[in-house]
Amino acid sequence: MKESEALQRSGSEYNFGSYQRLEAIYNWMDTLVAEHPKLVTKVLIGSSYENRPMYVLKFSTGGTNRPAIWIDTGIHAREWVSPATGIWTANKIAVDYGKDASLTSLLNTMDIYMLLLANPDGYSYTHDNDRMWRKTRSRSPGSNCRGADPNRNWDSGFGGPGTSRNPCSDLYHGPSANSEVEVSNVVNLIKAHGNFKSFISVHAYSQLLMYPHGYSCKDIPDMAELDTVGQAAVKKLASLYGTRYEVGSICKIIYPASGGSIDWAYDTGIKYSFAFELRDTGLSGFLLPANQIIPTASETWLALKHIMEYVRDNPYYTQH
Amino acid sequence: MSPALMRVLRVVVLLSAVRGAPLATVTLPPVILEPVPLEPVAPVPVPSEPVRVDSGADQNISIPINTEKQQQQQQQQQVSLDVDVMLTGELNPNHYPARRAAQVVLHHLNTRYGSPYWWGALRQVHKATAEALGDSGRKYSLEVTLQDQISGTKETCTAEVVFPGGPAGGPPQVTTSYEGKSEINTQAQEEALYNQYNTSQNLLSGHNLPDSYGHVAPGMEPFWHLGGVASSFVMLKESSENTLYNMAQVVSVTQLATENNQLRFNYDVLLHEMVSQEIIHWKLLASWSPQEGVKASQMELLPKCHHCEPPQEH
């Protein structure tokens, strides 16, 4: 048996340094809630195309509809280090609350929402069928090909550059914006909540920290501020192991890409919207060795913390 | 920007479209993506003085309008308003046009210098400029730092990448100032590996390097590296300004009998093309010896199977 394919250990013995199947991750989420009942609740936000439940972990110390931070991982199925990082991070938040002064002050005034498996059908498919699957698993009428790219399906420049209308393409945007239930579940939650101040989406690979837009290469009004926050965040990330990240808008740094989640979030008024592309830069790519999960999560945590602290310290109002 | 200037710009853009010049830049593989519809009324800030196009500060096209020659140059320059611009002049080294060209340099270096113990990767782009060539080709001049992914050693070099223009396209042409690995201690490892596998019995075979969990079976790392280096032959010839290739996985490697003193391996590899996000399946024959380096032949693209659901071997 491969060392990296560790047996799932139940409860608080979850092996954060390994890639787990969906069922094991869902079991662990229940354990986290059971171990930190005053801080963490599990919120069902809807189901996936194949009827898997989609759960968000809500970190809250009370209040009513406090300003909130959104973090999602695993929207692209093959990017395994993303949900692996999310799981470690969720645990880190739960464990460090009450011990880390900065995190504690943040959670005393803001909530954190974490969607660890934003594409559970795709994630499951990468374990049982095709490790390189990216999209959802929805059926397209008139095509044998399945799935849409969930990060081209948002209502932000939908159908624009960097997408495809071919259902067989890995960049297929879907028949219409929010056609993918995995996307509409999130959109509905964010809209109904109405008080998110930051939206962070975690992907892999390339070692980038990006801000909007992807659908246009024109600078957004808040570009200077987001760039400053991003540069400071990756500096903190690099302080742990020297891992180098580039910072910039999606369109300029990686490629034009329309219908993306952080573009939508920003355009709805959530100013501090960022996307991470985690390790590595192509040596292992999607197949990042499991022994890099914890180092990746640990260094990324420093960047995440920086962003979240900045959000905490820079409240703003949005006209809707 | 004055209304007169706007009109000039609109006319320039429309004229080029009317003449059938490829104005709407398809900056992404055409088989996958749709061309961007032209918006001739999109406002493009035009300064009153000629300004060199610079991708660093401002993605809007700065168009010099003072001379007819400059206007002509602007018409020839492919324009996709507000989305992507085939930039010339000094490029931001962290933005994707420079990085794509730099990645091509690394594929070229791997075909020249790669081995089971030397596998180069792009570490950083320091400087990049681009210029249009007369035959609609484009040339990038770069200063990059590359890193051997095995030992970690880094080196900086300059390079030129020419992407040929025209409908036929063709592989990019690369020249560099790189003179070969400065450390020679891979020689002993290479010769040991060569001698170990220079046999007609117990031919090596393996699959899924790395496996789903990122693990490479013990002793198989050199053949993972060799697969990556051999894949660079494919990735080099397939590269354009609209692609960024990495090898995603060696699906299988099967050794064949040694011929002409070259170890030979049939490789089945998955390449990840970042711009289209496609996983592309290639077969190739890799031959290697410490003296001759790595060569790839019989490169064959395998079709993407949409109905297949092959069980993943772990």
Side-chain angles (χ1 to χ4, degrees), chain A residues 2-5 19 21 78-80 125-132 134 137 144-146 149 152 161-166 168-171 205-206 208 215-219 242 244 246-247 250-256 281-284 286-290, chain B residues 27-28 31-34 36 43 55-60 82-84 94-97 99-100 103 119 121-124 149 209-215 224-225 244-249 270 272 274-279 304 306-312 314:
Chain A
K2 298 180 181 85
E3 62 178 67
S4 57
E5 209 176 320
Y19 297 113
R21 295 178 61 85
R78 59 194 180 202
E79 298 167 9
W80 281 13
Y125 196 74
T126 58
H127 280 268
D128 296 328
N129 301 95
D130 180 359
R131 176 63 177 83
M132 296 294 174
R134 169 180 169 89
R137 290 294 299 165
N144 280 323
C145 296
R146 291 185 57 164
D149 184 337
R152 300 292 185 277
T163 70
S164 172
R165 61 175 189 212
N166 180 347
C168 300
S169 165
D170 260 325
L171 294 180
Y205 59 94
S206 288
L208 307 169
Y215 65 76
S216 164
C217 282
K218 275 174 60 175
D219 288 345
R244 296 187 65 242
E246 303 292 348
V247 178
I250 295 171
C251 190
K252 294 186 189 177
I253 281 283
I254 194 171
Y255 42 40
T281 54
L283 171 64
S284 299
F286 301 120
L287 306 179
L288 193 73
Chain B
T27 59
L28 299 154
V31 72
I32 304 290
L33 298 155
E34 308 302 307
V36 178
S55 68
D58 184 2
Q59 270 293 346
N60 297 310
D82 192 44
V83 174
D84 198 358
N94 296 323
H95 291 179
Y96 71 78
R99 295 186 71 83
R100 288 180 196 174
Q103 186 85 335
W119 189 12
L122 176 66
R123 169 107 177 145
Q124 196 180 355
Q149 299 183 105
L209 312 175
D211 69 11
S212 287
Y213 302 86
H215 188 247
W224 172 43
H225 306 153
L244 188 101
Y245 277 99
N246 288 294
M247 183 184 75
Q249 188 182 42
L270 296 179
H272 174 226
M274 185 80 69
V275 180
S276 63
Q277 288 293 349
E278 294 292 332
I279 301 292
K304 180 173 170 178
H306 298 298
H307 325 292
C308 298
E309 299 191 355
Q312 190 73 12
H314 291 310

Side-chain angles (χ1 to χ4, degrees), chain A residues 1-16:
Chain A
M1 190 199 72
K2 298 180 181 85
E3 62 178 67
S4 57
E5 209 176 320
L7 286 169
Q8 203 276 311
R9 295 166 215 176
S10 62
S12 51
E13 290 180 62
Y14 181 93
N15 183 356
F16 296 102

Side-chain angles (χ1 to χ4, degrees), chain B residues 259-270:
Chain B
E259 209 172 82
N260 297 329
N261 295 321
Q262 307 302 303
L263 300 192
R264 297 187 311 148
F265 304 86
N266 271 333
Y267 271 95
D268 217 321
V269 295
L270 296 179

Side-chain angles (χ1 to χ4, degrees), chain B residues 182-199:
Chain B
S182 42
E183 18 94 49
I184 51 167
N185 60 8
T186 61
Q187 194 171 350
Q189 291 169 288
E190 291 185 26
E191 283 177 7
L193 189 76
Y194 178 85
N195 292 331
Q196 182 183 355
Y197 286 96
N198 186 15
T199 173

Side-chain angles (χ1 to χ4, degrees), chain A residues 27-38 40-41:
Chain A
N27 286 340
W28 172 79
M29 281 167 47
D30 288 335
T31 312
L32 187 77
V33 170
E35 288 178 351
H36 305 272
K38 294 209 192 101
V40 194
T41 50

